[in-house]
Amino acid sequence: MKQIKHLMGLELKARLKRTIILAILVLTFCLTIFSSGAAGQEDTENNQPVSDEGFFNRFITYVKNLFSGEEGKLHSSGEIPKTGAADIQQSAEPEQAVLKIATPDVIKSASLVGDTSLGIFAHLSNPPLMKMDAEGHIVGQLAENYSVSENNTRWTFYIRDDLYWSDGEKVTPEDVEFSIRYYGEKTPWASWINDTLENSTVSDADNSVTFKFNKPYTRVNMEFATYDILPAHVWKKIENPVEYTSNGPYVGCGPYYLKLIDLNAGKLIFEKNPYWKGKMPEFETVEIHFYSNVDVATLALKNGEADSYYKYAGSYPYSGIEQLEKTGNFDFLEKTNVGLVFLAPNLKKAPFSDPKFREALADSINYEELARLETLGYGEVPNSGFVPSAMENYKETEKLEYSPEKAREILKKAGYSDSNGNGILEGKDGKDIKLEILIRPDYARTGELLDEYFEQIGLSADLKTVDSDTWITLKDSYNYDLTVTRSTPWGMLMHSSWGSGYFDSRRTGQGVMHNLEDPAFLQLCDNILATTDSAELQKYAYELQDYYADNLPAIPLYWSKSVTPFNRHFEGWYADPLYGIYNLDTFTNVTKVEA
């Protein structure tokens, strides 16, 4: 009897276990069907849930097995059999390879065209037609090659035949034609296209697009290394691309497409383009994490939450390099920066319109001290010719030197004197010269040093610190005396190259000074734009650098290196002078190596 009761107890326990397991299975079934439906509504293209029918069939099969004669063996331990668990649930997918990059370049708007930083990061998904290689030469990217007419007005680009958008549509010459015209018509910074483009045609026979300009233009290939190419079948419906925002996905034709813009979480997510035919990247996903504070970005690197660091036209903070070196987890990529930090005088206003006054300012600056304090050994004293040595057709001009005695002598000979003995020089109008140096917070220490240098030669100076928006407004209205700013690699190459785009009074833009109206300078710019002859181009480039050295429309403060840290468990990083490590060659070549 006791044995019978014992067996009955075991049977009751077995039934209870089966009932509990069945309840769990039913609950799992319901949740899975619900989540599958939700996933299908949210992202049918990227999520592939188990079909309802397939799941139901496997569910019924397992229930039958549960109540078959084998259940005693299977459930004596109270565990769901491994085969059953595999049937009921999708097997855990292997963790996808993700490459994470930290940046202080904050995305302010989910506008692919309207947000400058987002437009740069979108080079990964919507690559420009051309690119710059490691040596600074402009070569094809979406274009295999190009040709130029003898008079430099007709440019033909031959588009690669193996390019597909992430929605499966083939990339066509019409997409390229549409994109270039779209920027010219819809964006203020590309209005030069609308002003100079006479007509454009496409040819299916050789997969090309031709742009005919109303005047010679020799830098089109370089200009086209900056504009993201867009799918015409998507963007032609969008009237105002500068204002248009979307959190994604955006259709792209690069090795990745931009899947998600999450401004709240501070990240961009790029996923592999399923139709990419080029070299296949190792990583399924690339994440760009943007931080408003460099210290937080550094912490992310140290904690393994990011694999590298990127700042457009900038370096990882020199003061933080030693911290990362001490961890033993990072290597560093160093490149001479094509851009530089410079002092810009207001050339439309006395006494800054006087070349002799600018020469005295240049002689009063302690360049070695500036370079040492601002670059911590990663910079050098610049030449008077402005252009850094890393640029093609660089010319060796005189090195800038610190000589306050010479500065005082130049001012005296030029008619600037302290007639009332108050320690402040007077202008030619008899009034004390009181300089106002307009700066943004990033240049606070540089501004303070300049203040000290100028006071040593009898010039009263005060700092005016403003945010970027205010700086642009004051700069564009010429409401400043002196300002500290920087040139980017693209800025050095734009217009007639060699920094000319910052000074030509015919130019506009957020970072440009557009305050130099000297006919000799403007003619030099036009000469450069009108030639493709390499010897002639070098001649003009040398003349332009001599002009900078002789007239000092801006005073370079220091040249520097761009330093990029990366986790040493990753290799294959590639840097170009224009966009640093942020290029397709990096993302198709970087691999993770074993520790």
Side-chain angles (χ1 to χ4, degrees):
M1 182 64 71
K2 288 181 179 180
Q3 187 176 7
I4 292 172
K5 287 182 177 180
H6 177 67
L7 290 173
M8 289 176 64
L10 288 175
E11 179 64 23
L12 286 171
K13 288 181 179 179
R15 287 181 181 177
L16 180 60
K17 287 178 182 178
R18 287 197 293 270
T19 302
I20 292 172
I21 291 170
L22 180 60
I24 292 171
L25 291 174
V26 171
L27 180 60
T28 302
F29 173 75
C30 294
L31 289 173
T32 303
I33 294 300
F34 175 78
S35 62
S36 297
Q41 292 173 5
E42 290 178 4
D43 193 357
T44 56
E45 182 181 1
N46 297 299
N47 290 306
Q48 299 179 1
V50 179
S51 68
D52 297 348
E53 181 181 357
F55 183 89
F56 183 76
N57 289 338
R58 283 182 281 176
F59 172 74
I60 294 299
T61 300
Y62 180 67
V63 171
K64 287 180 179 178
N65 290 337
L66 181 66
F67 289 96
S68 71
E70 298 296 313
E71 80 272 15
K73 296 178 184 177
L74 296 174
H75 296 297
S76 60
S77 65
E79 295 179 355
I80 297 176
K82 291 180 181 178
T83 55
D87 282 338
I88 296 304
Q89 299 177 341
Q90 298 179 70
S91 58
E93 294 183 4
E95 186 177 346
Q96 288 190 338
V98 180
L99 182 65
K100 298 180 181 180
I101 297 178
T103 178
D105 296 334
V106 174
I107 309 299
K108 297 178 181 178
S109 165
S111 174
L112 192 75
V113 174
D115 189 280
T116 303
S117 293
L118 180 57
I120 291 171
F121 288 120
H123 288 356
L124 179 55
S125 58
N126 298 76
L129 194 59
M130 309 297 290
K131 68 175 183 178
M132 180 175 283
D133 67 17
E135 286 72 45
H137 304 123
I138 301 298
V139 297
Q141 185 160 247
L142 298 191
E144 280 187 319
N145 50 65
Y146 64 93
S147 61
V148 191
S149 65
E150 192 171 333
N151 64 358
N152 301 315
T153 61
R154 187 185 301 273
W155 290 73
T156 300
F157 296 88
Y158 302 91
I159 311 305
R160 285 170 49 185
D161 196 41
D162 62 345
L163 296 169
Y164 291 84
W165 298 106
S166 54
D167 61 3
E169 294 286 328
K170 190 171 176 55
V171 176
T172 66
E174 286 84 359
D175 289 314
V176 176
E177 179 190 37
F178 165 81
S179 298
I180 298 304
R181 282 191 168 276
Y182 193 61
Y183 286 114
E185 294 167 3
K186 304 288 187 180
T187 67
W189 55 86
S191 60
W192 70 269
I193 297 173
N194 211 35
D195 295 339
T196 59
L197 186 59
E198 202 169 87
N199 61 65
S200 59
T201 57
V202 299
S203 170
D204 293 332
D206 55 10
N207 210 43
S208 69
V209 55
T210 298
F211 298 99
K212 171 69 167 60
F213 296 91
N214 59 20
K215 64 179 181 179
Y217 208 136
T218 61
R219 316 297 284 176
V220 169
N221 55 343
M222 187 172 64
E223 293 277 2
F224 286 1
T226 63
Y227 297 106
D228 298 337
I229 299 303
L230 306 170
H233 64 281
V234 174
W235 286 85
K236 65 184 178 182
K237 305 168 189 174
I238 299 170
E239 282 297 318
N240 190 349
V242 175
E243 298 297 328
Y244 174 77
T245 61
S246 169
N247 291 329
Y250 281 99
V251 176
C253 64
Y256 295 87
Y257 69 96
L258 179 52
K259 181 179 180 181
L260 177 66
I261 302 169
D262 191 336
L263 297 179
N264 292 325
K267 68 178 177 180
L268 308 177
I269 298 178
F270 293 87
E271 291 209 346
K272 274 186 180 177
N273 177 357
Y275 300 99
W276 173 252
K277 305 297 182 184
K279 183 175 181 180
M280 197 58 62
E282 175 176 311
F283 298 94
E284 293 293 326
T285 303
V286 173
E287 293 183 2
I288 309 297
H289 293 257
F290 41 98
Y291 303 91
S292 58
N293 188 310
V294 174
D295 293 335
V296 181
T298 298
L299 191 61
L301 286 168
K302 292 172 70 174
N303 291 343
E305 296 165 5
D307 307 309
S308 185
Y309 173 95
Y310 177 74
K311 176 179 173 60
Y312 170 64
S315 173
Y316 182 74
Y318 303 122
S319 59
I321 292 174
E322 188 176 358
Q323 286 185 55
L324 291 185
E325 283 179 330
K326 287 180 179 178
T327 67
N329 296 326
F330 293 89
D331 287 326
F332 299 85
L333 187 65
E334 292 185 18
K335 286 282 185 180
T336 301
N337 200 335
V338 173
L340 70 152
V341 175
F342 63 93
L343 177 68
N346 185 347
L347 302 179
K348 293 179 175 291
K349 183 179 181 181
F352 314 102
S353 53
D354 180 357
K356 285 298 179 183
F357 188 85
R358 299 196 298 270
E359 183 182 351
L361 290 180
D363 286 333
S364 71
I365 297 170
N366 190 335
Y367 299 98
E368 290 186 0
E369 182 178 59
L370 262 177
R372 184 177 70 253
L373 294 176
E374 294 291 359
T375 72
L376 302 180
Y378 292 93
E380 61 178 308
V381 174
N383 289 355
S384 55
F386 193 78
V387 176
S389 58
M391 281 202 75
E392 190 175 15
N393 289 326
Y394 159 80
K395 181 183 180 182
E396 186 78 40
T397 54
E398 189 176 354
K399 209 81 168 170
L400 288 167
E401 292 184 358
Y402 173 50
S403 180
E405 297 83 7
K406 182 181 175 184
R408 284 190 284 267
E409 185 63 27
I410 291 172
L411 289 170
K412 182 178 179 181
K413 288 182 179 179
Y416 300 97
S417 61
D418 177 16
S419 62
N420 58 13
N422 67 352
I424 301 174
L425 294 178
E426 296 142 17
K428 295 178 180 180
D429 59 1
K431 296 179 181 179
D432 287 351
I433 300 175
K434 295 183 178 180
L435 310 180
E436 184 175 79
I437 307 173
L438 182 66
I439 60 168
R440 286 161 287 181
D442 288 349
Y443 305 108
R445 181 164 58 176
T446 299
E448 290 169 359
L449 290 169
L450 291 173
D451 188 341
E452 293 177 11
Y453 301 151
F454 296 152
E455 287 186 355
Q456 289 176 8
I457 61 169
L459 300 174
S460 173
D462 291 312
L463 300 183
K464 182 174 183 176
T465 305
V466 297
D467 60 31
S468 292
D469 291 338
T470 305
W471 182 85
I472 292 169
T473 299
L474 294 174
K475 179 262 302 180
D476 285 344
S477 60
Y478 305 106
N479 191 11
Y480 67 97
D481 294 338
L482 298 161
T483 187
V484 178
T485 187
R486 67 165 183 165
S487 68
T488 64
W490 165 243
M492 292 299 293
L493 296 164
M494 67 182 178
H495 189 42
S496 305
S497 199
W498 299 287
S500 60
Y502 282 99
F503 311 116
D504 191 324
S505 58
R506 301 167 295 184
R507 298 279 294 183
T508 58
Q510 291 186 347
V512 305
M513 310 314 297
H514 50 75
N515 58 3
L516 185 50
E517 299 173 332
D518 183 353
F521 173 78
L522 300 182
Q523 186 60 56
L524 263 176
C525 293
D526 292 343
N527 291 344
I528 291 170
L529 289 173
T531 185
T532 51
D533 181 84
S534 57
E536 201 170 49
L537 194 63
Q538 183 184 68
K539 171 179 173 290
Y540 291 142
Y542 284 2
E543 289 179 11
L544 186 61
Q545 291 168 77
D546 286 337
Y547 180 93
Y548 290 147
D550 293 340
N551 295 277
L552 293 170
I555 302 169
L557 298 178
Y558 53 86
W559 294 337
S560 62
K561 290 183 178 179
S562 178
V563 181
T564 301
F566 60 90
N567 190 300
R568 61 177 45 181
H569 297 310
F570 296 80
E571 63 181 18
W573 303 94
Y574 174 96
D576 67 58
L578 191 53
Y579 291 110
I581 64 165
Y582 203 85
N583 55 70
L584 298 196
D585 293 289
T586 283
F587 293 106
T588 55
N589 284 287
V590 165
T591 58
K592 191 169 185 178
V593 294
E594 295 299 324

